[in-house]
Amino acid sequence: MQSASDDMIWQVINHQFCSFKTTIGKALSDKQHFCRHPYSVTGLCNRTSCPLANSKYATLREEDGRVHLYIKTVERAHSPKNLWEKNLFVT
């Protein structure tokens, strides 16, 4: 379930401005939007894969040969520095 704030954030990102959004293609019909956010799973700029516009989001990242699971924690939204909970991913 999506929250109202998630929808509002997506409206701004999609229709106004996002610093992570990049566009490829010159013709209007050829344009494709991509996301350069470091926690973006797919790299596509759309509502379901946007790490900024989803209060429930998780991604895997490799750092120094170790895989970490990053989970966006809504309770930490007041502190962007601590927004992502980092857990070592053990297989």
Side-chain angles (χ1 to χ4, degrees), residues 10 14 33-35 42-51 53-54:
W10 176 246
N14 193 35
H33 301 289
F34 295 96
C35 180
T42 63
L44 300 174
C45 182
N46 59 41
R47 174 69 179 93
T48 56
S49 62
C50 180
N54 286 299

Side-chain angles (χ1 to χ4, degrees), residues 17-37:
F17 177 76
C18 177
S19 59
F20 298 106
K21 188 177 193 177
T22 186
T23 305
I24 297 176
K26 294 183 180 182
L28 192 58
S29 61
D30 282 347
K31 286 189 178 183
Q32 294 182 347
H33 301 289
F34 295 96
C35 180
R36 296 181 298 186
H37 192 280

